[in-house]
Each structure stands twice: as structure tokens, then as C-alpha cells.
PDB file of all heavy atoms in Angstrom:
ATOM      1  N   ILE A   1     189.662  94.376  44.120  1.00 97.00           N
ATOM      2  CA  ILE A   1     189.506  95.401  45.209  1.00 97.00           C
ATOM      3  C   ILE A   1     188.105  96.140  44.999  1.00 97.00           C
ATOM      4  O   ILE A   1     187.416  96.378  45.931  1.00 97.00           O
ATOM      5  CB  ILE A   1     190.703  96.337  45.294  1.00 97.00           C
ATOM      6  CG1 ILE A   1     191.955  95.583  45.701  1.00 97.00           C
ATOM      7  CG2 ILE A   1     190.419  97.516  46.242  1.00 97.00           C
ATOM      8  CD1 ILE A   1     193.178  96.380  45.691  1.00 97.00           C
ATOM      9  N   SER A   2     187.909  96.557  43.769  1.00 97.00           N
ATOM     10  CA  SER A   2     186.620  97.353  43.450  1.00 97.00           C
ATOM     11  C   SER A   2     185.472  96.420  43.713  1.00 97.00           C
ATOM     12  O   SER A   2     184.529  96.905  44.345  1.00 97.00           O
ATOM     13  CB  SER A   2     186.671  97.782  41.942  1.00 97.00           C
ATOM     14  OG  SER A   2     187.731  98.651  41.672  1.00 97.00           O
ATOM     15  N   ASP A   3     185.486  95.208  43.277  1.00 96.00           N
ATOM     16  CA  ASP A   3     184.342  94.270  43.480  1.00 96.00           C
ATOM     17  C   ASP A   3     184.158  94.053  44.982  1.00 96.00           C
ATOM     18  O   ASP A   3     182.960  94.013  45.401  1.00 96.00           O
ATOM     19  CB  ASP A   3     184.674  93.009  42.821  1.00 96.00           C
ATOM     20  CG  ASP A   3     184.556  93.045  41.342  1.00 96.00           C
ATOM     21  OD1 ASP A   3     184.124  94.118  40.822  1.00 96.00           O
ATOM     22  OD2 ASP A   3     185.041  92.114  40.638  1.00 96.00           O
ATOM     23  N   ALA A   4     185.207  93.922  45.737  1.00 97.00           N
ATOM     24  CA  ALA A   4     185.112  93.734  47.190  1.00 97.00           C
ATOM     25  C   ALA A   4     184.461  94.970  47.862  1.00 97.00           C
ATOM     26  O   ALA A   4     183.637  94.800  48.818  1.00 97.00           O
ATOM     27  CB  ALA A   4     186.466  93.419  47.807  1.00 97.00           C
ATOM     28  N   ALA A   5     184.885  96.157  47.478  1.00 97.00           N
ATOM     29  CA  ALA A   5     184.375  97.370  48.066  1.00 97.00           C
ATOM     30  C   ALA A   5     182.922  97.612  47.803  1.00 97.00           C
ATOM     31  O   ALA A   5     182.234  98.179  48.560  1.00 97.00           O
ATOM     32  CB  ALA A   5     185.115  98.577  47.685  1.00 97.00           C
ATOM     33  N   MET A   6     182.471  97.090  46.652  1.00 96.00           N
ATOM     34  CA  MET A   6     181.051  97.236  46.152  1.00 96.00           C
ATOM     35  C   MET A   6     180.167  96.085  46.573  1.00 96.00           C
ATOM     36  O   MET A   6     178.979  96.063  46.289  1.00 96.00           O
ATOM     37  CB  MET A   6     181.023  97.499  44.753  1.00 96.00           C
ATOM     38  CG  MET A   6     181.635  98.784  44.296  1.00 96.00           C
ATOM     39  SD  MET A   6     181.383  99.202  42.552  1.00 96.00           S
ATOM     40  CE  MET A   6     182.536  98.009  41.861  1.00 96.00           C
ATOM     41  N   SER A   7     180.770  95.077  47.147  1.00 94.00           N
ATOM     42  CA  SER A   7     180.088  93.778  47.430  1.00 94.00           C
ATOM     43  C   SER A   7     178.939  93.982  48.427  1.00 94.00           C
ATOM     44  O   SER A   7     178.971  94.766  49.234  1.00 94.00           O
ATOM     45  CB  SER A   7     181.098  92.777  48.037  1.00 94.00           C
ATOM     46  OG  SER A   7     180.462  91.612  48.487  1.00 94.00           O
ATOM     47  N   ASP A   8     177.932  93.074  48.253  1.00 94.00           N
ATOM     48  CA  ASP A   8     176.829  93.050  49.171  1.00 94.00           C
ATOM     49  C   ASP A   8     177.146  92.596  50.549  1.00 94.00           C
ATOM     50  O   ASP A   8     176.361  92.727  51.516  1.00 94.00           O
ATOM     51  CB  ASP A   8     175.737  92.090  48.595  1.00 94.00           C
ATOM     52  CG  ASP A   8     175.012  92.768  47.343  1.00 94.00           C
ATOM     53  OD1 ASP A   8     175.134  93.960  47.129  1.00 94.00           O
ATOM     54  OD2 ASP A   8     174.393  91.955  46.549  1.00 94.00           O
ATOM     55  N   ILE A   9     178.349  91.983  50.684  1.00 94.00           N
ATOM     56  CA  ILE A   9     178.821  91.617  52.003  1.00 94.00           C
ATOM     57  C   ILE A   9     178.934  92.779  52.943  1.00 94.00           C
ATOM     58  O   ILE A   9     178.834  92.705  54.207  1.00 94.00           O
ATOM     59  CB  ILE A   9     180.167  90.886  51.865  1.00 94.00           C
ATOM     60  CG1 ILE A   9     180.450  90.141  53.185  1.00 94.00           C
ATOM     61  CG2 ILE A   9     181.288  91.884  51.668  1.00 94.00           C
ATOM     62  CD1 ILE A   9     181.732  89.344  53.151  1.00 94.00           C
ATOM     63  N   ARG A  10     179.069  94.004  52.346  1.00 97.00           N
ATOM     64  CA  ARG A  10     179.153  95.228  53.163  1.00 97.00           C
ATOM     65  C   ARG A  10     177.855  95.947  53.334  1.00 97.00           C
ATOM     66  O   ARG A  10     177.036  96.022  52.318  1.00 97.00           O
ATOM     67  CB  ARG A  10     180.152  96.196  52.445  1.00 97.00           C
ATOM     68  CG  ARG A  10     181.515  95.645  52.161  1.00 97.00           C
ATOM     69  CD  ARG A  10     182.455  96.664  51.587  1.00 97.00           C
ATOM     70  NE  ARG A  10     182.746  97.753  52.511  1.00 97.00           N
ATOM     71  CZ  ARG A  10     182.968  98.928  52.228  1.00 97.00           C
ATOM     72  NH1 ARG A  10     182.888  99.451  50.943  1.00 97.00           N
ATOM     73  NH2 ARG A  10     183.321  99.856  53.202  1.00 97.00           N
ATOM     74  N   SER A  11     177.582  96.530  54.433  1.00 96.00           N
ATOM     75  CA  SER A  11     176.333  97.221  54.694  1.00 96.00           C
ATOM     76  C   SER A  11     176.407  98.574  54.055  1.00 96.00           C
ATOM     77  O   SER A  11     177.512  99.167  53.698  1.00 96.00           O
ATOM     78  CB  SER A  11     176.066  97.342  56.165  1.00 96.00           C
ATOM     79  OG  SER A  11     177.003  98.253  56.738  1.00 96.00           O
ATOM     80  N   GLU A  12     175.308  99.207  53.820  1.00 96.00           N
ATOM     81  CA  GLU A  12     175.262 100.530  53.219  1.00 96.00           C
ATOM     82  C   GLU A  12     175.811 101.537  54.240  1.00 96.00           C
ATOM     83  O   GLU A  12     176.445 102.489  53.804  1.00 96.00           O
ATOM     84  CB  GLU A  12     173.830 100.929  52.978  1.00 96.00           C
ATOM     85  CG  GLU A  12     173.227 100.185  51.773  1.00 96.00           C
ATOM     86  CD  GLU A  12     174.104 100.267  50.434  1.00 96.00           C
ATOM     87  OE1 GLU A  12     174.475 101.377  50.162  1.00 96.00           O
ATOM     88  OE2 GLU A  12     174.363  99.197  49.900  1.00 96.00           O
ATOM     89  N   LYS A  13     175.752 101.258  55.567  1.00 96.00           N
ATOM     90  CA  LYS A  13     176.320 102.126  56.498  1.00 96.00           C
ATOM     91  C   LYS A  13     177.833 102.033  56.431  1.00 96.00           C
ATOM     92  O   LYS A  13     178.520 103.123  56.574  1.00 96.00           O
ATOM     93  CB  LYS A  13     175.942 101.649  57.943  1.00 96.00           C
ATOM     94  CG  LYS A  13     176.391 102.584  59.076  1.00 96.00           C
ATOM     95  CD  LYS A  13     175.911 102.029  60.414  1.00 96.00           C
ATOM     96  CE  LYS A  13     176.459 102.920  61.542  1.00 96.00           C
ATOM     97  NZ  LYS A  13     175.919 102.364  62.882  1.00 96.00           N
ATOM     98  N   ALA A  14     178.356 100.860  56.255  1.00 97.00           N
ATOM     99  CA  ALA A  14     179.854 100.726  56.035  1.00 97.00           C
ATOM    100  C   ALA A  14     180.315 101.441  54.820  1.00 97.00           C
ATOM    101  O   ALA A  14     181.307 102.135  54.815  1.00 97.00           O
ATOM    102  CB  ALA A  14     180.172  99.271  55.962  1.00 97.00           C
ATOM    103  N   LYS A  15     179.590 101.360  53.710  1.00 97.00           N
ATOM    104  CA  LYS A  15     179.942 101.861  52.427  1.00 97.00           C
ATOM    105  C   LYS A  15     180.005 103.446  52.456  1.00 97.00           C
ATOM    106  O   LYS A  15     180.685 104.126  51.869  1.00 97.00           O
ATOM    107  CB  LYS A  15     179.105 101.414  51.272  1.00 97.00           C
ATOM    108  CG  LYS A  15     179.234 100.005  50.884  1.00 97.00           C
ATOM    109  CD  LYS A  15     178.286  99.583  49.852  1.00 97.00           C
ATOM    110  CE  LYS A  15     178.462  98.014  49.506  1.00 97.00           C
ATOM    111  NZ  LYS A  15     177.474  97.581  48.557  1.00 97.00           N
ATOM    112  N   ALA A  16     179.052 103.942  53.399  1.00 96.00           N
ATOM    113  CA  ALA A  16     178.937 105.395  53.540  1.00 96.00           C
ATOM    114  C   ALA A  16     180.231 105.988  54.056  1.00 96.00           C
ATOM    115  O   ALA A  16     180.498 107.254  53.847  1.00 96.00           O
ATOM    116  CB  ALA A  16     177.793 105.818  54.489  1.00 96.00           C
ATOM    117  N   ARG A  17     181.070 105.278  54.750  1.00 97.00           N
ATOM    118  CA  ARG A  17     182.314 105.748  55.309  1.00 97.00           C
ATOM    119  C   ARG A  17     183.449 105.794  54.261  1.00 97.00           C
ATOM    120  O   ARG A  17     184.574 106.302  54.527  1.00 97.00           O
ATOM    121  CB  ARG A  17     182.724 104.832  56.489  1.00 97.00           C
ATOM    122  CG  ARG A  17     181.726 104.678  57.500  1.00 97.00           C
ATOM    123  CD  ARG A  17     181.573 105.563  58.678  1.00 97.00           C
ATOM    124  NE  ARG A  17     182.041 106.906  58.642  1.00 97.00           N
ATOM    125  CZ  ARG A  17     181.207 107.954  58.668  1.00 97.00           C
ATOM    126  NH1 ARG A  17     179.937 107.762  58.643  1.00 97.00           N
ATOM    127  NH2 ARG A  17     181.672 109.174  58.818  1.00 97.00           N
ATOM    128  N   ASP A  18     183.248 105.195  53.061  1.00 97.00           N
ATOM    129  CA  ASP A  18     184.243 105.187  52.009  1.00 97.00           C
ATOM    130  C   ASP A  18     184.716 106.492  51.673  1.00 97.00           C
ATOM    131  O   ASP A  18     185.804 106.724  51.252  1.00 97.00           O
ATOM    132  CB  ASP A  18     183.854 104.323  50.829  1.00 97.00           C
ATOM    133  CG  ASP A  18     183.588 102.892  51.038  1.00 97.00           C
ATOM    134  OD1 ASP A  18     183.902 102.460  52.213  1.00 97.00           O
ATOM    135  OD2 ASP A  18     183.299 102.175  50.157  1.00 97.00           O
ATOM    136  N   GLU A  19     183.734 107.528  51.751  1.00 96.00           N
ATOM    137  CA  GLU A  19     184.092 108.837  51.369  1.00 96.00           C
ATOM    138  C   GLU A  19     185.254 109.381  52.188  1.00 96.00           C
ATOM    139  O   GLU A  19     186.053 110.225  51.742  1.00 96.00           O
ATOM    140  CB  GLU A  19     182.870 109.720  51.684  1.00 96.00           C
ATOM    141  CG  GLU A  19     183.059 111.203  51.516  1.00 96.00           C
ATOM    142  CD  GLU A  19     181.818 111.997  51.880  1.00 96.00           C
ATOM    143  OE1 GLU A  19     180.759 111.452  52.246  1.00 96.00           O
ATOM    144  OE2 GLU A  19     181.872 113.231  51.827  1.00 96.00           O
ATOM    145  N   TYR A  20     185.410 108.900  53.504  1.00 97.00           N
ATOM    146  CA  TYR A  20     186.448 109.322  54.314  1.00 97.00           C
ATOM    147  C   TYR A  20     187.615 108.380  54.461  1.00 97.00           C
ATOM    148  O   TYR A  20     188.807 108.856  54.721  1.00 97.00           O
ATOM    149  CB  TYR A  20     185.845 109.659  55.726  1.00 97.00           C
ATOM    150  CG  TYR A  20     184.698 110.564  55.773  1.00 97.00           C
ATOM    151  CD1 TYR A  20     183.401 110.074  55.980  1.00 97.00           C
ATOM    152  CD2 TYR A  20     184.807 111.960  55.685  1.00 97.00           C
ATOM    153  CE1 TYR A  20     182.282 110.830  55.973  1.00 97.00           C
ATOM    154  CE2 TYR A  20     183.695 112.811  55.590  1.00 97.00           C
ATOM    155  CZ  TYR A  20     182.558 112.237  55.792  1.00 97.00           C
ATOM    156  OH  TYR A  20     181.453 113.093  55.762  1.00 97.00           O
ATOM    157  N   ARG A  21     187.340 107.153  54.183  1.00 98.00           N
ATOM    158  CA  ARG A  21     188.393 106.156  54.418  1.00 98.00           C
ATOM    159  C   ARG A  21     189.095 105.584  53.227  1.00 98.00           C
ATOM    160  O   ARG A  21     190.075 104.887  53.331  1.00 98.00           O
ATOM    161  CB  ARG A  21     187.824 105.004  55.326  1.00 98.00           C
ATOM    162  CG  ARG A  21     187.317 105.432  56.636  1.00 98.00           C
ATOM    163  CD  ARG A  21     186.677 104.403  57.421  1.00 98.00           C
ATOM    164  NE  ARG A  21     186.250 104.896  58.774  1.00 98.00           N
ATOM    165  CZ  ARG A  21     185.613 104.273  59.735  1.00 98.00           C
ATOM    166  NH1 ARG A  21     185.482 102.926  59.520  1.00 98.00           N
ATOM    167  NH2 ARG A  21     185.241 104.747  60.835  1.00 98.00           N
ATOM    168  N   HIS A  22     188.527 105.925  52.108  1.00 98.00           N
ATOM    169  CA  HIS A  22     189.097 105.574  50.793  1.00 98.00           C
ATOM    170  C   HIS A  22     189.761 104.168  50.771  1.00 98.00           C
ATOM    171  O   HIS A  22     190.947 103.980  50.393  1.00 98.00           O
ATOM    172  CB  HIS A  22     190.297 106.606  50.502  1.00 98.00           C
ATOM    173  CG  HIS A  22     189.809 107.967  50.723  1.00 98.00           C
ATOM    174  ND1 HIS A  22     190.136 108.734  51.867  1.00 98.00           N
ATOM    175  CD2 HIS A  22     189.021 108.853  49.942  1.00 98.00           C
ATOM    176  CE1 HIS A  22     189.637 109.883  51.805  1.00 98.00           C
ATOM    177  NE2 HIS A  22     188.881 110.025  50.635  1.00 98.00           N
ATOM    178  N   PRO A  23     188.931 103.131  50.966  1.00 98.00           N
ATOM    179  CA  PRO A  23     189.591 101.790  51.093  1.00 98.00           C
ATOM    180  C   PRO A  23     190.171 101.235  49.804  1.00 98.00           C
ATOM    181  O   PRO A  23     191.201 100.641  49.833  1.00 98.00           O
ATOM    182  CB  PRO A  23     188.359 100.937  51.516  1.00 98.00           C
ATOM    183  CG  PRO A  23     187.152 101.610  51.045  1.00 98.00           C
ATOM    184  CD  PRO A  23     187.524 103.102  51.249  1.00 98.00           C
ATOM    185  N   GLN A  24     189.528 101.586  48.649  1.00 98.00           N
ATOM    186  CA  GLN A  24     190.109 101.090  47.399  1.00 98.00           C
ATOM    187  C   GLN A  24     191.479 101.705  47.100  1.00 98.00           C
ATOM    188  O   GLN A  24     192.433 101.045  46.817  1.00 98.00           O
ATOM    189  CB  GLN A  24     189.174 101.384  46.233  1.00 98.00           C
ATOM    190  CG  GLN A  24     187.872 100.677  46.226  1.00 98.00           C
ATOM    191  CD  GLN A  24     187.113 100.804  44.988  1.00 98.00           C
ATOM    192  OE1 GLN A  24     187.654 100.574  43.876  1.00 98.00           O
ATOM    193  NE2 GLN A  24     185.916 101.213  45.053  1.00 98.00           N
ATOM    194  N   GLN A  25     191.580 103.060  47.223  1.00 98.00           N
ATOM    195  CA  GLN A  25     192.888 103.708  46.991  1.00 98.00           C
ATOM    196  C   GLN A  25     193.863 103.221  48.047  1.00 98.00           C
ATOM    197  O   GLN A  25     195.030 103.144  47.644  1.00 98.00           O
ATOM    198  CB  GLN A  25     192.634 105.244  47.049  1.00 98.00           C
ATOM    199  CG  GLN A  25     191.679 105.753  45.973  1.00 98.00           C
ATOM    200  CD  GLN A  25     190.269 105.830  46.555  1.00 98.00           C
ATOM    201  OE1 GLN A  25     189.754 104.983  47.342  1.00 98.00           O
ATOM    202  NE2 GLN A  25     189.621 106.952  46.195  1.00 98.00           N
ATOM    203  N   THR A  26     193.444 103.092  49.272  1.00 98.00           N
ATOM    204  CA  THR A  26     194.363 102.743  50.361  1.00 98.00           C
ATOM    205  C   THR A  26     195.002 101.344  50.095  1.00 98.00           C
ATOM    206  O   THR A  26     196.256 101.101  50.251  1.00 98.00           O
ATOM    207  CB  THR A  26     193.683 102.799  51.711  1.00 98.00           C
ATOM    208  OG1 THR A  26     193.218 104.154  51.939  1.00 98.00           O
ATOM    209  CG2 THR A  26     194.580 102.375  52.868  1.00 98.00           C
ATOM    210  N   LEU A  27     194.136 100.376  49.723  1.00 98.00           N
ATOM    211  CA  LEU A  27     194.643  99.033  49.574  1.00 98.00           C
ATOM    212  C   LEU A  27     195.483  98.899  48.274  1.00 98.00           C
ATOM    213  O   LEU A  27     196.396  98.070  48.214  1.00 98.00           O
ATOM    214  CB  LEU A  27     193.423  98.124  49.492  1.00 98.00           C
ATOM    215  CG  LEU A  27     192.701  97.952  50.813  1.00 98.00           C
ATOM    216  CD1 LEU A  27     191.517  96.989  50.716  1.00 98.00           C
ATOM    217  CD2 LEU A  27     193.663  97.518  51.991  1.00 98.00           C
ATOM    218  N   ARG A  28     195.180  99.709  47.233  1.00 97.00           N
ATOM    219  CA  ARG A  28     196.043  99.753  46.098  1.00 97.00           C
ATOM    220  C   ARG A  28     197.392 100.286  46.361  1.00 97.00           C
ATOM    221  O   ARG A  28     198.386  99.811  45.936  1.00 97.00           O
ATOM    222  CB  ARG A  28     195.360 100.453  44.909  1.00 97.00           C
ATOM    223  CG  ARG A  28     194.190  99.718  44.367  1.00 97.00           C
ATOM    224  CD  ARG A  28     193.745 100.238  43.027  1.00 97.00           C
ATOM    225  NE  ARG A  28     192.548  99.466  42.565  1.00 97.00           N
ATOM    226  CZ  ARG A  28     191.332  99.958  42.693  1.00 97.00           C
ATOM    227  NH1 ARG A  28     191.070 101.101  43.184  1.00 97.00           N
ATOM    228  NH2 ARG A  28     190.330  99.256  42.285  1.00 97.00           N
ATOM    229  N   PHE A  29     197.414 101.298  47.225  1.00 98.00           N
ATOM    230  CA  PHE A  29     198.700 101.904  47.634  1.00 98.00           C
ATOM    231  C   PHE A  29     199.599 100.886  48.483  1.00 98.00           C
ATOM    232  O   PHE A  29     200.753 100.842  48.162  1.00 98.00           O
ATOM    233  CB  PHE A  29     198.325 103.136  48.530  1.00 98.00           C
ATOM    234  CG  PHE A  29     199.663 103.686  49.211  1.00 98.00           C
ATOM    235  CD1 PHE A  29     200.569 104.372  48.451  1.00 98.00           C
ATOM    236  CD2 PHE A  29     199.798 103.468  50.490  1.00 98.00           C
ATOM    237  CE1 PHE A  29     201.769 104.797  49.066  1.00 98.00           C
ATOM    238  CE2 PHE A  29     200.987 103.966  51.208  1.00 98.00           C
ATOM    239  CZ  PHE A  29     201.932 104.613  50.419  1.00 98.00           C
ATOM    240  N   PHE A  30     198.912 100.071  49.230  1.00 98.00           N
ATOM    241  CA  PHE A  30     199.677  99.088  50.014  1.00 98.00           C
ATOM    242  C   PHE A  30     200.093  97.931  49.117  1.00 98.00           C
ATOM    243  O   PHE A  30     201.023  97.238  49.442  1.00 98.00           O
ATOM    244  CB  PHE A  30     198.839  98.589  51.146  1.00 98.00           C
ATOM    245  CG  PHE A  30     198.663  99.591  52.280  1.00 98.00           C
ATOM    246  CD1 PHE A  30     197.517  99.618  53.015  1.00 98.00           C
ATOM    247  CD2 PHE A  30     199.674 100.424  52.623  1.00 98.00           C
ATOM    248  CE1 PHE A  30     197.330 100.513  54.089  1.00 98.00           C
ATOM    249  CE2 PHE A  30     199.557 101.324  53.690  1.00 98.00           C
ATOM    250  CZ  PHE A  30     198.342 101.403  54.484  1.00 98.00           C
ATOM    251  N   GLY A  31     199.458  97.759  48.007  1.00 98.00           N
ATOM    252  CA  GLY A  31     199.803  96.762  47.051  1.00 98.00           C
ATOM    253  C   GLY A  31     199.055  95.386  47.213  1.00 98.00           C
ATOM    254  O   GLY A  31     199.664  94.338  46.866  1.00 98.00           O
ATOM    255  N   LEU A  32     197.933  95.461  47.754  1.00 98.00           N
ATOM    256  CA  LEU A  32     197.182  94.241  48.059  1.00 98.00           C
ATOM    257  C   LEU A  32     196.896  93.380  46.770  1.00 98.00           C
ATOM    258  O   LEU A  32     196.418  94.030  45.721  1.00 98.00           O
ATOM    259  CB  LEU A  32     195.833  94.562  48.751  1.00 98.00           C
ATOM    260  CG  LEU A  32     194.976  93.348  49.005  1.00 98.00           C
ATOM    261  CD1 LEU A  32     195.525  92.449  50.037  1.00 98.00           C
ATOM    262  CD2 LEU A  32     193.605  93.872  49.411  1.00 98.00           C
ATOM    263  N   LYS A  33     197.071  92.160  46.752  1.00 97.00           N
ATOM    264  CA  LYS A  33     196.785  91.270  45.645  1.00 97.00           C
ATOM    265  C   LYS A  33     196.018  90.081  46.098  1.00 97.00           C
ATOM    266  O   LYS A  33     196.114  89.641  47.284  1.00 97.00           O
ATOM    267  CB  LYS A  33     198.093  90.791  44.967  1.00 97.00           C
ATOM    268  CG  LYS A  33     198.897  92.005  44.330  1.00 97.00           C
ATOM    269  CD  LYS A  33     200.129  91.507  43.805  1.00 97.00           C
ATOM    270  CE  LYS A  33     200.991  92.626  43.109  1.00 97.00           C
ATOM    271  NZ  LYS A  33     202.277  92.181  42.537  1.00 97.00           N
ATOM    272  N   PRO A  34     195.213  89.483  45.235  1.00 97.00           N
ATOM    273  CA  PRO A  34     194.324  88.350  45.645  1.00 97.00           C
ATOM    274  C   PRO A  34     195.011  87.092  46.142  1.00 97.00           C
ATOM    275  O   PRO A  34     194.455  86.375  46.901  1.00 97.00           O
ATOM    276  CB  PRO A  34     193.582  88.026  44.343  1.00 97.00           C
ATOM    277  CG  PRO A  34     193.509  89.319  43.598  1.00 97.00           C
ATOM    278  CD  PRO A  34     194.868  89.870  43.847  1.00 97.00           C
ATOM    279  N   ASP A  35     196.253  86.965  45.808  1.00 98.00           N
ATOM    280  CA  ASP A  35     196.958  85.687  46.247  1.00 98.00           C
ATOM    281  C   ASP A  35     197.814  85.820  47.523  1.00 98.00           C
ATOM    282  O   ASP A  35     198.584  85.011  47.833  1.00 98.00           O
ATOM    283  CB  ASP A  35     197.876  85.174  45.114  1.00 98.00           C
ATOM    284  CG  ASP A  35     198.934  86.124  44.713  1.00 98.00           C
ATOM    285  OD1 ASP A  35     198.896  87.289  45.144  1.00 98.00           O
ATOM    286  OD2 ASP A  35     199.825  85.756  43.943  1.00 98.00           O
ATOM    287  N   MET A  36     197.622  86.970  48.217  1.00 98.00           N
ATOM    288  CA  MET A  36     198.395  87.278  49.332  1.00 98.00           C
ATOM    289  C   MET A  36     197.807  86.606  50.677  1.00 98.00           C
ATOM    290  O   MET A  36     196.629  86.489  50.742  1.00 98.00           O
ATOM    291  CB  MET A  36     198.480  88.703  49.641  1.00 98.00           C
ATOM    292  CG  MET A  36     199.495  89.376  48.672  1.00 98.00           C
ATOM    293  SD  MET A  36     199.555  91.185  49.096  1.00 98.00           S
ATOM    294  CE  MET A  36     200.996  91.646  48.152  1.00 98.00           C
ATOM    295  N   THR A  37     198.606  86.259  51.577  1.00 98.00           N
ATOM    296  CA  THR A  37     198.263  86.061  52.969  1.00 98.00           C
ATOM    297  C   THR A  37     198.289  87.360  53.788  1.00 98.00           C
ATOM    298  O   THR A  37     199.417  87.945  53.876  1.00 98.00           O
ATOM    299  CB  THR A  37     199.141  84.991  53.733  1.00 98.00           C
ATOM    300  OG1 THR A  37     199.028  83.753  52.973  1.00 98.00           O
ATOM    301  CG2 THR A  37     198.853  84.891  55.198  1.00 98.00           C
ATOM    302  N   VAL A  38     197.100  87.775  54.107  1.00 98.00           N
ATOM    303  CA  VAL A  38     197.044  89.122  54.725  1.00 98.00           C
ATOM    304  C   VAL A  38     196.508  89.032  56.245  1.00 98.00           C
ATOM    305  O   VAL A  38     195.563  88.334  56.518  1.00 98.00           O
ATOM    306  CB  VAL A  38     196.018  89.988  54.002  1.00 98.00           C
ATOM    307  CG1 VAL A  38     195.915  91.384  54.690  1.00 98.00           C
ATOM    308  CG2 VAL A  38     196.453  90.174  52.628  1.00 98.00           C
ATOM    309  N   VAL A  39     197.368  89.646  57.164  1.00 98.00           N
ATOM    310  CA  VAL A  39     196.897  89.680  58.589  1.00 98.00           C
ATOM    311  C   VAL A  39     196.364  91.085  58.822  1.00 98.00           C
ATOM    312  O   VAL A  39     197.121  92.050  58.681  1.00 98.00           O
ATOM    313  CB  VAL A  39     198.165  89.330  59.505  1.00 98.00           C
ATOM    314  CG1 VAL A  39     197.643  89.343  60.923  1.00 98.00           C
ATOM    315  CG2 VAL A  39     198.724  87.923  59.073  1.00 98.00           C
ATOM    316  N   GLU A  40     195.175  91.147  59.348  1.00 98.00           N
ATOM    317  CA  GLU A  40     194.637  92.476  59.814  1.00 98.00           C
ATOM    318  C   GLU A  40     194.734  92.462  61.323  1.00 98.00           C
ATOM    319  O   GLU A  40     194.174  91.595  62.014  1.00 98.00           O
ATOM    320  CB  GLU A  40     193.282  92.631  59.354  1.00 98.00           C
ATOM    321  CG  GLU A  40     192.763  94.070  59.767  1.00 98.00           C
ATOM    322  CD  GLU A  40     191.296  94.333  59.405  1.00 98.00           C
ATOM    323  OE1 GLU A  40     190.643  93.498  58.892  1.00 98.00           O
ATOM    324  OE2 GLU A  40     190.862  95.528  59.588  1.00 98.00           O
ATOM    325  N   VAL A  41     195.425  93.442  61.847  1.00 98.00           N
ATOM    326  CA  VAL A  41     195.510  93.520  63.360  1.00 98.00           C
ATOM    327  C   VAL A  41     194.400  94.351  63.954  1.00 98.00           C
ATOM    328  O   VAL A  41     194.162  95.446  63.489  1.00 98.00           O
ATOM    329  CB  VAL A  41     196.931  94.064  63.678  1.00 98.00           C
ATOM    330  CG1 VAL A  41     197.080  94.090  65.223  1.00 98.00           C
ATOM    331  CG2 VAL A  41     198.101  93.318  63.060  1.00 98.00           C
ATOM    332  N   SER A  42     193.787  93.854  64.943  1.00 97.00           N
ATOM    333  CA  SER A  42     192.596  94.484  65.642  1.00 97.00           C
ATOM    334  C   SER A  42     191.568  94.986  64.676  1.00 97.00           C
ATOM    335  O   SER A  42     191.303  96.129  64.429  1.00 97.00           O
ATOM    336  CB  SER A  42     193.127  95.677  66.431  1.00 97.00           C
ATOM    337  OG  SER A  42     194.098  95.293  67.330  1.00 97.00           O
ATOM    338  N   PRO A  43     190.939  93.923  63.990  1.00 97.00           N
ATOM    339  CA  PRO A  43     189.874  94.265  63.011  1.00 97.00           C
ATOM    340  C   PRO A  43     188.532  94.811  63.540  1.00 97.00           C
ATOM    341  O   PRO A  43     187.699  95.156  62.764  1.00 97.00           O
ATOM    342  CB  PRO A  43     189.734  92.883  62.226  1.00 97.00           C
ATOM    343  CG  PRO A  43     189.947  91.905  63.323  1.00 97.00           C
ATOM    344  CD  PRO A  43     191.075  92.510  64.138  1.00 97.00           C
TER     345      PRO A  43
END
């Protein structure tokens, strides 16, 4: 999750929103794991 959040696949503009959206903490709270099938609705 940390590597994905810091990845170059993300723009600096996107990363700037992490301050408010806390993606790493949010995804850990939900229990995301690398071997899951994940459906994102309205991405």
C-alpha cells in the first residue's frame, strides 16, 4: 500500500490530496491485501 501510494504512476497533483484523503490509512482500515479481487465503483 505504501509503495502504491508513493508510486510514479500517481501525479504530484494527486499525491497532494493525500493530506486530506489519507489513502494509506483508509485502505489499511478496510483490510486491502495484494491477493484480493477489488471492485471500485465509479472510479
Side-chain angles (χ1 to χ4, degrees):
I1 294 174
S2 296
D3 289 348
M6 295 184 289
S7 170
D8 290 341
I9 196 175
R10 304 183 68 212
S11 68
E12 291 305 312
K13 183 178 179 181
K15 290 177 181 177
R17 312 265 29 110
D18 289 2
E19 175 186 356
Y20 305 105
R21 299 180 179 179
H22 314 100
Q24 293 191 52
Q25 299 94 319
T26 299
L27 295 178
R28 290 195 183 99
F29 170 71
F30 288 145
L32 179 67
K33 296 179 182 178
D35 61 352
M36 285 182 166
T37 293
V38 180
V39 182
E40 183 184 6
V41 184
S42 301

